[in-house]
Amino acid sequence: MPPGSAATSPGTGPGGPVAATAAATRTGGAPAPASGEAAAPPRTTAGGASPRDLWTRSRGFLLALAVLLAAGLALAALNSGARHGYLDPRSADPSGSRAVAELLADRGTTTRVVTTAAEAADAAGPDTTLLVTDPDRLGETQLRAVRSAIDLSGGRTVLLAPSSLSLPALAPGTRTPGDRAAPETNLDPGGSSCTLPAAITAGRAATGGGHGYATTTPGATGCYPGAGHPTLLVLPTGIPGGDTVLLGSENVFLNKNLAKEGNASLALQLLGSRPHLVWYLPSLADSDPDNAEGAGEEQNFLDLIPAGWSWALLQLFLAAAVAALWRARRLGPLVTERLPVLVRASEATEGRARLYRKAGARDRAATVLRASARERLAALVGVPASRAHEPASLLPAVAARLTAGRPPHDPDTLLFGTTPTTDAALIALADHLDALEREVRTS
């Protein structure tokens, strides 16, 4: 048989799958897959890209993420010693109160920070000023503890911006006529109607912008009126020398406001009248959800979202809907287009063969050659296509069609053998498969 007979054997033709694969290998390529067989994909990761491609695509995002993390850690490290929270006497932030605590320390008043009502009640006494920074956050148990300290300590208790949530428990007989009764921030003491020495000495101060108060308690003193109601109210307690101070706004004690108007003077006189100051910052453990407005009413998930977030989520949803409409695929009639380049089948086969050769994929080429030959032989000998790749079904039928006395190579080795180790062995396999198919076809 001539060396090139495999390329022009009957049944395959010059463009047949086996012949094309063998021819591509002889011309410097590697075997291409036979007709009807899918080409094996290149070796990549599960996502369809190599690790190098994945790194190339994601390195920009990873670099930006690393920069953000480094910046966040740096800012956290720089600010970790100064930020303690709103109205915290340890905080030097504009919304902190460290300046008041240091001025009080210079005057001989010690400041102790507590975070529970039990600690605050235990520390209260006749020589102590108890400052409650957020009385509206307290639960019923905590309110009772603070009220007990007011009634029994004989000292001073300063309540910052208490509202109708906490006033019934801490200052019976006192109410807030309106939620924000004093829209103006800086107020005057009130002239002759104010007899409190601390207010008279301090003069104009930032007591407005919060609540105003009205009371029926005898002996109460009101100063800094706003919208007709005092924003500073001093109530006497049952023990001589003790009193309770209601201040409608906390602006007086903030670092950013202390040097303005008479804020520093008023703050020092309200908090420095005793040698000891207990600064009570209510913690989450002291909060009571039943004490909030609407307590006892069943709430769903949407009720727990602040109003501002609800509007933000609505805007994000609308933006996403507009983006989806903008980027959505427009469905319409099919438009036919002439391809810019027509690639011949022989060129595509040869190009794929060269890629196989470059990858050294003799195993895949041999698998495609044998699978195609088995399918064609099965059609010739009457074996169902579903059983074409079963040796027990195909080999006896093929052996029965071979000419006695001229047996070609062992059909078992050709159709189900091992992978060729060289290009020459792969070419020989293509030739032998072609010869076997021709022998069966002509028998």
Side-chain angles (χ1 to χ4, degrees):
M1 174 177 12
S5 60
T8 59
S9 59
T12 58
V18 176
T21 304
T25 305
R26 294 188 186 95
T27 57
S35 176
E37 295 290 335
R43 299 170 186 250
T44 59
T45 60
S50 65
R52 184 174 181 178
D53 293 337
L54 292 177
W55 164 248
T56 303
R57 297 174 186 174
S58 59
R59 61 185 177 184
F61 171 75
L62 294 177
L63 180 61
L65 182 61
V67 171
L68 289 176
L69 289 176
L73 292 175
L75 291 176
L78 292 174
N79 297 329
S80 59
R83 301 185 66 87
H84 290 279
Y86 189 71
L87 281 174
D88 195 315
R90 300 162 296 186
S91 175
D93 296 341
S95 59
S97 299
R98 183 175 175 180
V100 176
E102 291 187 353
L103 290 176
L104 289 172
D106 292 341
R107 293 165 58 96
T109 301
T110 61
T111 301
R112 174 187 173 188
V113 178
V114 298
T115 57
T116 64
E119 291 178 315
D122 292 340
D127 59 347
T128 301
T129 299
L130 173 60
L131 173 63
V132 184
T133 58
D134 195 356
D136 288 349
R137 289 182 57 182
L138 302 182
E140 293 183 2
T141 303
Q142 290 73 29
L143 289 173
R144 286 195 297 267
V146 174
R147 181 60 194 179
S148 176
I150 293 174
D151 292 337
L152 303 177
S153 67
R156 167 169 287 181
T157 303
V158 179
L159 306 177
L160 293 187
S163 69
S164 57
L165 296 176
S166 56
L167 282 176
L170 300 180
T174 305
R175 59 185 179 86
T176 54
D179 280 341
R180 291 290 170 182
E184 186 180 355
T185 300
N186 297 317
L187 301 174
D188 293 319
S192 59
S193 62
C194 175
T195 59
L196 183 66
I200 297 173
T201 302
R204 189 174 177 84
T207 62
H211 296 293
Y213 300 101
T215 185
T216 58
T217 304
T221 302
C223 297
Y224 297 102
H229 301 282
T231 58
L232 174 61
L233 190 63
V234 181
L235 307 174
T237 59
I239 298 180
D243 57 15
T244 301
V245 178
L246 308 182
L247 192 58
S249 173
E250 63 275 13
N251 292 326
V252 172
F253 302 112
L254 299 180
N255 292 332
K256 62 182 178 181
N257 297 327
L258 196 62
K260 300 176 182 178
E261 303 290 347
N263 295 336
S265 174
L266 182 62
L268 292 178
Q269 293 184 78
L270 292 179
L271 302 182
S273 61
R274 272 77 171 171
H276 303 292
L277 171 63
V278 177
W279 200 295
Y280 177 26
L281 297 171
S283 61
L284 292 177
D286 284 348
S287 301
D288 186 0
D290 293 337
N291 203 38
E293 290 182 336
E297 297 181 1
E298 184 177 355
Q299 293 181 320
N300 56 30
F301 175 75
L302 296 178
D303 294 334
L304 301 177
I305 300 177
W309 281 101
S310 299
W311 283 108
L313 291 175
L314 178 59
Q315 293 177 11
L316 288 176
F317 174 78
L318 293 177
V322 172
L325 292 175
W326 169 51
R327 300 295 296 176
R329 183 185 297 274
R330 270 68 171 177
L331 299 179
L334 294 177
V335 178
T336 57
E337 237 180 281
R338 294 188 61 184
L339 295 178
V341 178
L342 294 177
V343 181
R344 297 178 180 176
S346 59
E347 294 179 2
T349 301
E350 187 174 349
R352 184 180 295 180
R354 287 198 176 97
L355 291 176
Y356 273 17
R357 177 182 176 85
K358 184 176 181 181
R362 286 184 290 272
D363 54 344
R364 300 189 183 186
T367 300
V368 172
L369 287 170
R370 282 172 168 150
S372 299
R374 288 196 297 265
E375 291 176 357
R376 290 192 297 272
L377 289 172
L380 292 174
V381 299
V383 174
S386 60
R387 305 178 65 180
H389 304 290
E390 299 178 3
S393 301
L394 181 63
L395 291 178
V398 171
R401 298 286 294 271
L402 296 177
T403 304
R406 286 194 306 157
H409 290 78
D410 182 15
D412 188 8
T413 303
L414 290 178
L415 297 174
F416 299 96
T418 59
T419 301
T421 57
T422 64
D423 288 347
L426 181 62
I427 295 174
L429 174 63
D431 289 337
H432 296 325
L433 287 173
D434 206 6
L436 176 61
E437 183 178 346
R438 184 172 58 254
E439 180 71 18
V440 172
R441 187 182 299 275
T442 58
S443 61

